[in-house]
């Protein structure tokens, strides 16, 4: 039985015929040894047909189809034209060797061409790949490398090109930066407290908030100049008049030492930097909330934006988190404790990052493990819905949150929760109704836009008609003159040369009539 080899290169499809398989006895080692030598390999494998790709876009489409194990129409036509034709009712006396078993099975389903993929075939295809530029005539040196490089770049770009609004890498970077900012703002605020406490130590006990303390340090500046005139400004910052008066009274009897103007300027500048960092931290949190609403709305609705972002960050991506089973998701972030427990044969941890969820804190001590297991189960469902659903909404996340709330009531009060299948049915119905509402809204908007366009077109046509009528009225006398001239010329044609005076008279009368008109 003859063996044909299908090779998908960056420049086109190639079909090769393997000779002398019986002599080799399908020995993989023998083929592997003969692959490197073109003289020996060229006697075994011959080029039968080659079809180049039409363009770089066509090459990318063919490569995408091959990578997914699908046979395109172009590949089917190429195989049907190049392979020997088989009569109806008879089995083919050849087989097609392919590198990917998936495309082989799909090819057999579509064309009934017997395909095989084994170590022997892979070694032959490896030899074809090694000497491919020698088999193809009129192929300039470097052309194949350029085609491979261009196709590789376009294929990689196509693989990573997806919805820009659902890039989970932005969430990972944002949560890392948010944690770093929390540490930096806390350490810088402590530095402001220690620095300004040399001048005004009593302020630390009155104001506990770091941001407000930095704001007050900048506003007060020199405590000796603090008086009742600055009371309104203190009230605006603190939001409490009693505290503002307390600050003024403390400044009058403060035990702190005086600072030079240069030192106070540096304290104020540093306090301003801390305030800027704290304000940027708030903006970054708002950005994280908005991105989580786009990327993982159900997970954010279930467990919160920050905890959900930490889970995605720890897993590496939303896809990796969706692939995790609930048992793995439950202890994400507690890997050290898990392996230490396995090593010492102690108790394994019950929860990892999901411990920061409010549900675990609300559960009683004996039910924390159960609650963590149940919450991990629901988080796994929510992450898979967010990862693989086309339409992003919080319907499933809200329903899953209701289920967790019901489970908490069940552990505390014994109230039986609803069944999971009933909750999911209601969520699917709500999602379907929401899609219907969106479709109707889009249809209405499209109808309105069409009506608006038709109105504009009608108005434009009416304006054109009015302009045409106005222009036509002005041009009527000229057109009338031209018509009469043509009529007179036609009448004058059959007249003989001897009657020129008569025709002149007629023309004269015609001109007089035109003038009268």
């Amino acid at each position: 039985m003859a063996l044909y080899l299908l090779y998908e290169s960056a420049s086109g499809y190639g079909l090769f015929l393997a000779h002398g398989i019986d002599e080799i006895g399908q020995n993989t080692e023998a083929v592997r040894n003969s692959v490197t030598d073109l003289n020996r390999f060229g006697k075994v494998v011959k080029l039968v047909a080659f079809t180049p790709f039409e363009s770089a876009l066509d090459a990318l489409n063919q490569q995408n189809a091959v990578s997914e194990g699908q046979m395109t129409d172009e590949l089917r036509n190429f195989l049907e034209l190049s392979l020997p034709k088989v009569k109806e009712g008879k089995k083919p006396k050849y087989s097609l060797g392919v590198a990917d078993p998936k495309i082989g099975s799909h090819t057999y389903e579509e064309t009934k061409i017997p395909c095989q993929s084994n170590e022997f075939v892979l070694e032959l295809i490896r030899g074809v790949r090694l000497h491919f530029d020698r088999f193809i005539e009129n192929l300039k040196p470097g052309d194949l490398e350029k085609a491979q490089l261009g196709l590789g770049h376009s294929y990689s770009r196509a693989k990573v090109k997806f919805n820009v609004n659902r890039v989970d890498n932005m969430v990972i970077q944002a949560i890392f930066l948010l944690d770093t900012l929390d540490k930096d703002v806390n350490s810088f605020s402590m530095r402001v407290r220690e620095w300004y406490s040399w001048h005004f130590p009593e302020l630390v006990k009155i104001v506990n908030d770091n941001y407000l303390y930095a704001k007050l340090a900048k506003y007060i500046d020199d405590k000796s100049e603090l008086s009742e005139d600055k009371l309104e400004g203190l009230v605006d910052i603190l939001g409490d008049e009693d505290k503002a008066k307390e600050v003024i009274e403390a400044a009058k009897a403060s035990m702190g030492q005086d600072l030079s103007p240069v030192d106070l300027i540096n304290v104020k500048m540093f306090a301003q930097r801390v305030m800027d960092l704290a304000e940027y931290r708030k903006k970054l949190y708002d950005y994280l909330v908005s991105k989580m609403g786009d990327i993982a709305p159900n997970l954010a609705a279930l467990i919160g934006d920050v905890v959900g972002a930490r889970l995605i960050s720890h897993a590496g991506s939303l896809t990796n988190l969706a692939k995790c089973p609930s048992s793995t998701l439950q202890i994400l972030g507690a890997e050290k404790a898990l392996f230490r427990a396995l090593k010492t044969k102690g108790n394994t941890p019950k929860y990892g990052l999901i411990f920061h969820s409010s549900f675990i804190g609300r559960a009683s001590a004996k039910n924390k493990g159960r609650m963590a297991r149940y919450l991990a189960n629901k988080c796994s469902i929510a992450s898979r819905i967010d990862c693989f659903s086309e339409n992003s909404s919080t319907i499933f996340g809200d329903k899953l949150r209701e289920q967790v709330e019901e489970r908490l009531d069940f552990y505390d009060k014994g109230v039986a929760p609803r069944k999971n299948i009933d909750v999911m049915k209601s969520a699917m119905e709500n999602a379907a109704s929401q899609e219907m509402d969106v479709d109707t809204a889009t249809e209405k908007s499209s109808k309105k836009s069409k009506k608006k366009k038709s109105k504009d077109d009608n108005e434009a046509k009416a304006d054109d008609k009015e302009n045409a009528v106005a222009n036509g009225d002005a041009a009527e006398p000229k057109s009338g003159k031209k018509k009469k001239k043509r009529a007179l010329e036609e009448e004058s044609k059959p007249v003989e040369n001897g009657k020129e005076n008569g025709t002149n008279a007629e023309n004269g009368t015609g001109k007089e009539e035109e003038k009268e008109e």
Side-chain angles (χ1 to χ4, degrees):
M1 181 180 283
L3 175 63
Y4 288 87
L5 301 173
L6 174 65
Y7 176 63
E8 308 93 357
S9 71
S11 55
Y13 290 119
L15 189 68
F16 296 83
L17 176 62
H19 292 284
I21 296 175
D22 295 334
E23 288 88 354
I24 297 172
Q26 296 193 2
N27 189 352
T28 308
E29 286 295 329
V31 176
R32 188 179 291 119
N33 295 330
S34 64
V35 156
T36 54
D37 187 6
L38 180 62
N39 293 327
R40 294 178 62 191
F41 188 76
K43 295 176 182 178
V44 177
V45 177
K46 299 287 184 182
L47 177 66
V48 176
F50 175 75
T51 175
F53 296 132
E54 295 178 357
S55 61
L57 181 61
D58 183 34
L60 178 60
N61 295 332
Q62 299 294 327
Q63 179 63 31
N64 287 328
V66 168
S67 64
E68 294 171 3
Q70 300 293 321
M71 185 180 66
T72 59
D73 294 335
E74 290 82 359
L75 178 57
R76 180 173 183 167
N77 294 334
F78 172 67
L79 292 176
E80 288 178 350
L81 291 172
S82 304
L83 289 171
K85 294 183 180 180
V86 182
K87 294 181 181 179
E88 293 183 1
K90 291 189 177 181
K91 292 182 180 181
K93 296 180 180 180
Y94 61 87
S95 63
L96 182 66
V98 293
D100 189 5
K102 291 182 181 178
I103 197 168
S105 61
H106 190 257
T107 304
Y108 180 72
E109 290 174 4
E110 294 291 329
T111 60
K112 300 301 179 184
I113 296 173
C115 300
Q116 58 174 318
S117 178
N118 48 40
E119 290 185 9
F120 176 70
V121 171
L122 291 176
E123 287 297 330
L124 289 174
I125 292 176
R126 188 170 71 88
V128 169
R129 188 186 303 112
L130 184 64
H131 306 293
F132 184 72
D133 54 344
R134 306 287 183 86
F135 285 107
I136 306 300
E137 295 180 358
N138 301 325
L139 189 66
K140 297 178 183 178
D143 286 351
L144 187 61
E145 286 77 7
K146 289 179 183 177
Q148 289 171 347
L149 185 63
L151 181 59
H153 284 176
S154 58
Y155 180 72
S156 301
R157 280 196 296 270
K159 279 295 178 185
V160 299
K161 191 183 291 183
F162 43 86
N163 191 354
V164 180
N165 296 321
R166 300 190 69 176
V167 181
D168 50 7
N169 186 44
M170 298 299 106
V171 169
I172 295 170
Q173 300 300 330
I175 194 64
F176 271 130
L177 184 56
L178 197 67
D179 293 338
T180 307
L181 278 176
D182 286 337
K183 293 176 184 176
D184 292 344
V185 168
N186 285 332
S187 60
F188 291 159
S189 300
M190 292 302 297
R191 188 60 51 205
V192 170
R193 283 172 177 271
E194 290 182 11
W195 201 350
Y196 195 67
S197 291
W198 283 95
H199 181 61
F200 193 0
E202 292 81 8
L203 188 62
V204 176
K205 296 178 181 178
I206 300 170
V207 181
N208 296 321
D209 187 72
N210 293 330
Y211 181 73
L212 290 179
Y213 188 91
K215 213 169 183 180
L216 279 173
K218 185 190 173 190
Y219 179 75
I220 294 170
D221 195 9
D222 192 355
K223 66 177 180 181
S224 60
E225 298 176 0
L226 189 62
S227 61
E228 298 292 336
D229 298 336
K230 292 186 176 181
L231 182 62
E232 289 186 8
L234 291 173
V235 172
D236 291 338
I237 294 170
L238 293 170
D240 188 358
E241 189 174 353
D242 296 334
K243 272 194 174 183
K245 290 180 179 179
E246 190 179 351
V247 169
I248 295 173
E249 292 299 325
K252 291 177 182 177
S254 177
M255 297 293 291
Q257 64 180 17
D258 293 333
L259 296 178
S260 65
V262 177
D263 295 335
L264 285 172
I265 288 170
N266 279 288
V267 172
K268 285 172 64 178
M269 288 174 64
F270 188 57
Q272 182 62 45
R273 290 294 178 93
V274 173
M275 290 164 56
D276 293 340
L277 273 178
E279 288 170 0
Y280 175 66
R281 196 259 178 207
K282 291 179 183 176
K283 292 179 182 177
L284 185 65
Y285 176 75
D286 295 337
Y287 166 74
L288 177 65
V289 170
S290 65
K291 291 302 290 183
M292 282 296 292
D294 292 334
I295 295 164
N298 293 297
L299 186 63
L302 172 61
I303 203 170
D305 299 295
V306 176
V307 181
R310 284 203 175 99
L311 286 172
I312 293 172
S313 174
H314 198 82
S317 66
L318 181 61
T319 307
N320 291 346
L321 185 66
K323 291 176 182 177
C324 288
S326 58
S327 58
T328 304
L329 193 147
Q330 182 182 347
I331 56 170
L332 273 180
E335 287 84 0
K336 286 184 180 179
L338 174 66
F339 291 119
R340 185 172 61 247
L342 293 173
K343 189 177 180 180
T344 59
K345 296 182 180 179
N347 293 328
T348 56
K350 296 177 182 177
Y351 26 68
L353 290 170
I354 61 171
F355 178 76
H356 299 288
S357 173
S358 60
F359 295 116
I360 307 296
R362 287 162 55 190
S364 59
K366 66 176 182 179
N367 292 325
K368 282 187 185 295
R370 294 179 184 176
M371 202 65 225
R373 187 164 59 251
Y374 189 79
L375 182 61
N377 179 18
K378 298 305 172 187
C379 287
S380 181
I381 294 171
S383 62
R384 288 166 190 174
I385 292 171
D386 289 328
C387 183
F388 300 111
S389 65
E390 296 178 357
N391 301 321
S392 61
S393 66
T394 60
I395 293 172
F396 288 95
D398 295 334
K399 292 292 182 182
L400 293 171
R401 188 180 182 86
E402 289 174 10
Q403 281 190 289
V404 179
E405 294 279 359
E406 290 174 4
R407 182 62 58 153
L408 267 177
D409 293 338
F410 172 68
Y411 289 145
D412 294 339
K413 303 172 186 176
V415 181
R418 290 176 294 172
K419 289 184 178 180
N420 186 49
I421 188 169
D422 298 333
V423 177
M424 289 297 105
K425 278 183 180 178
S426 64
M428 290 175 72
E429 289 172 0
N430 293 341
S433 63
Q434 189 178 12
E435 287 180 6
M436 291 285 289
D437 295 338
V438 171
D439 293 338
T440 52
T442 51
E443 285 177 4
K444 286 181 180 179
S445 62
S446 62
K447 284 180 181 178
K448 284 182 181 178
S449 62
K450 284 180 181 178
K451 285 182 180 178
K452 214 171 188 181
K453 283 182 182 179
S454 62
K455 281 183 181 179
D456 295 339
D457 294 339
N458 293 332
E459 287 175 1
K461 285 178 182 178
D463 294 339
D464 293 339
K465 282 182 181 178
E466 288 175 2
N467 295 331
V469 168
N471 296 331
D473 293 340
E476 266 181 9
K478 293 180 181 178
S479 62
K481 286 178 183 179
K482 288 180 180 178
K483 286 180 181 178
K484 285 183 179 180
K485 280 182 180 179
R486 286 175 185 171
L488 290 169
E489 286 174 359
E490 288 175 358
E491 290 176 359
S492 63
K493 278 180 183 178
V495 180
E496 294 178 359
N497 295 329
K499 297 179 180 180
E500 285 180 357
N501 296 328
T503 56
N504 290 332
E506 287 175 12
N507 289 334
T509 55
K511 287 179 182 177
E512 288 173 1
E513 287 174 2
E514 287 173 3
K515 286 178 182 177
E516 287 174 4
E517 288 177 2

